[in-house]
């Protein structure tokens, strides 16, 4: 199958990405400059792209969730509203190692040239930059043959995003890691459980594996994005997941945050050192003014922030998972 896309795809407006999210467990950074680079790369990709998973019947537009597993980038294509899985492909980073090194070397040379070089020197560096980008884009299209159909411009922008995230990847093999693990479960993995997991990762960076899932699939919540941004956590990269998608089957601690979660966890048969239920309000049910609703989300955030830190400190410090 040809990997180039015809004009008929672009005319429908369906064969494109409208959402890109990053796995916070495997792509991590507390440096605001690095996070800004990710956001710019994602913005550029979403601004203009042509994207379609091959050999699937699902129509676009699509959401792309990226994570890093060992030496691979996982390109997880999903429905942009329900986040139901459509297709997932592992892309080895090995063939791109030289090009990724060249990307940063030429990028730094280009920025330096802009500051101090003559116009002809800037043009020389820019030509090298475009040539490297084109080579990388063609390799990316080749590696995705019969997997994902993209045009050259999309491949260039996707390669830039790969370069932006992979140097800062936290390549934790959860199957062999000795880090303590906690799973937060709520109804739809839109509000309570993702907030709790994000707060755990912020409180104990690199010291805990914190995941979140829902009993059923939900949607991204803009109020979550807003109140978490206030404390320096970017939740725009969150993709809702459901309990049935879990690969890991053992956690040191499972914390349920909705009435339907304990029964779902029991039916799933997870191996857990301890299972706890926390009764917390769901701010998405609050009605009233925008500020009233935001305050309900802030109350949840602040409540969970205290409880997560107090509960996980002994676990992270090497104590028992039991209270």
């Amino acid at each position: 199958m040809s990997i180039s896309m015809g004009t008929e795809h672009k005319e429908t407006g369906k064969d494109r990405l409208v959402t890109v999210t990053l796995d916070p467990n495997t792509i991590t950074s507390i440096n605001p400059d690095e996070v800004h680079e990710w956001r710019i790369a994602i913005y550029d990709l979403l601004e203009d792209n042509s994207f379609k998973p091959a050999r699937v019947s699902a129509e676009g537009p699509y959401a792309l969730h990226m994570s890093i597993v060992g030496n691979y980038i996982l390109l997880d294509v999903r429905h942009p509203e329900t986040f139901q899985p459509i297709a997932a492909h592992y892309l080895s980073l090995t063939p791109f190692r030289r090009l990724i090194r060249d990307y940063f070397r030429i990028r730094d040379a280009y920025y330096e040239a802009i500051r101090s070089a003559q116009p002809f020197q800037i043009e020389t560096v820019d030509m090298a930059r475009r040539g490297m980008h084109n080579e990388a884009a063609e390799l990316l299209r080749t590696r995705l043959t019969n997997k994902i159909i993209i045009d050259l411009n999309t491949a260039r922008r996707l390669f830039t995003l790969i370069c932006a995230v992979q140097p800062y990847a936290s390549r934790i093999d959860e199957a062999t890691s000795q880090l303590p693990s906690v799973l937060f479960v709520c109804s739809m993995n839109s509000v309570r459980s993702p907030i709790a997991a994000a707060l755990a990762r912020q409180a104990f960076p690199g010291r805990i594996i914190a995941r979140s899932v829902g009993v059923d699939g939900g949607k991204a919540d803009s109020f979550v994005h807003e109140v978490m941004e206030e404390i320096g956590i970017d939740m725009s990269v969150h993709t809702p997941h459901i309990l049935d998608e879990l690969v890991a089957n053992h956690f040191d601690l499972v914390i349920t945050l909705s009435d339907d979660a304990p029964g779902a966890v029991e039916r799933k048969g997870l191996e857990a050192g301890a299972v706890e239920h926390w009764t917390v309000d769901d701010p998405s049910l609050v009605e009233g003014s925008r500020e009233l609703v935001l305050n309900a989300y802030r109350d949840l955030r602040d409540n969970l922030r205290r409880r997560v830190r107090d509960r996980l400190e002994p676990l992270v410090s090497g104590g028992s998972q039991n209270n």
Side-chain angles (χ1 to χ4, degrees), residues 99-139:
L99 289 164
I100 290 172
R101 287 194 299 269
D102 288 348
Y103 170 86
F104 287 104
R105 178 179 57 81
I106 295 175
R107 184 199 64 176
D108 293 343
Y110 181 73
Y111 289 155
E112 180 63 30
I114 290 176
R115 286 193 296 266
S116 59
Q118 297 295 320
F120 75 90
Q121 294 173 310
I122 297 175
E123 184 177 351
T124 299
V125 175
D126 192 41
M127 288 178 61
R129 184 171 64 97
R130 290 198 301 268
M132 178 277 303
H133 249 122
N134 287 336
E135 180 184 356
E138 290 292 3
L139 176 60

Side-chain angles (χ1 to χ4, degrees), residues 61-117:
Y62 307 98
L64 177 64
H65 184 62
M66 293 176 60
S67 58
I68 294 184
V69 180
N71 193 46
Y72 294 83
I73 291 272
L74 175 58
L75 303 175
D76 183 3
V77 184
R78 292 173 174 258
H79 188 282
E81 294 293 332
T82 65
F83 289 99
Q84 289 296 309
I86 294 175
H89 301 292
Y90 285 86
L91 179 71
S92 174
L93 289 169
T94 300
F96 296 91
R97 288 299 180 197
R98 175 185 61 83
L99 289 164
I100 290 172
R101 287 194 299 269
D102 288 348
Y103 170 86
F104 287 104
R105 178 179 57 81
I106 295 175
R107 184 199 64 176
D108 293 343
Y110 181 73
Y111 289 155
E112 180 63 30
I114 290 176
R115 286 193 296 266
S116 59

Side-chain angles (χ1 to χ4, degrees), residues 120-179:
F120 75 90
Q121 294 173 310
I122 297 175
E123 184 177 351
T124 299
V125 175
D126 192 41
M127 288 178 61
R129 184 171 64 97
R130 290 198 301 268
M132 178 277 303
H133 249 122
N134 287 336
E135 180 184 356
E138 290 292 3
L139 176 60
L140 183 56
R141 296 172 77 199
T142 299
R143 301 292 298 185
L144 292 176
T145 299
N146 291 328
K147 297 177 180 179
I148 298 175
I149 305 169
I150 53 178
D151 61 14
L152 183 63
N153 182 57
T154 302
R156 286 167 57 94
R157 294 172 183 233
L158 181 57
F159 173 73
T160 298
L161 178 57
I162 290 171
C163 287
V165 301
Q166 72 84 34
Y168 312 112
S170 175
R171 292 176 174 81
I172 298 173
D173 184 350
E174 296 188 17
T176 60
S177 174
Q178 298 301 307
L179 292 177

Side-chain angles (χ1 to χ4, degrees), residues 208-264:
I208 194 168
I209 296 172
R211 291 207 170 273
S212 68
V213 293
V215 177
D216 296 305
K219 299 180 180 181
D221 189 304
S222 62
F223 288 114
V224 170
H225 298 176
E226 188 166 345
V227 300
M228 295 300 278
E229 186 78 25
E230 292 174 353
I231 60 169
I233 297 179
D234 180 11
M235 293 295 288
S236 67
V237 297
H238 171 66
T239 291
H241 292 273
I242 62 174
L243 196 58
D244 288 343
E245 293 178 41
L246 271 182
V247 176
N249 195 50
H250 175 81
F251 294 89
D252 294 303
L253 178 62
V254 175
I255 297 175
T256 58
L257 299 167
S258 62
D259 292 341
D260 55 346

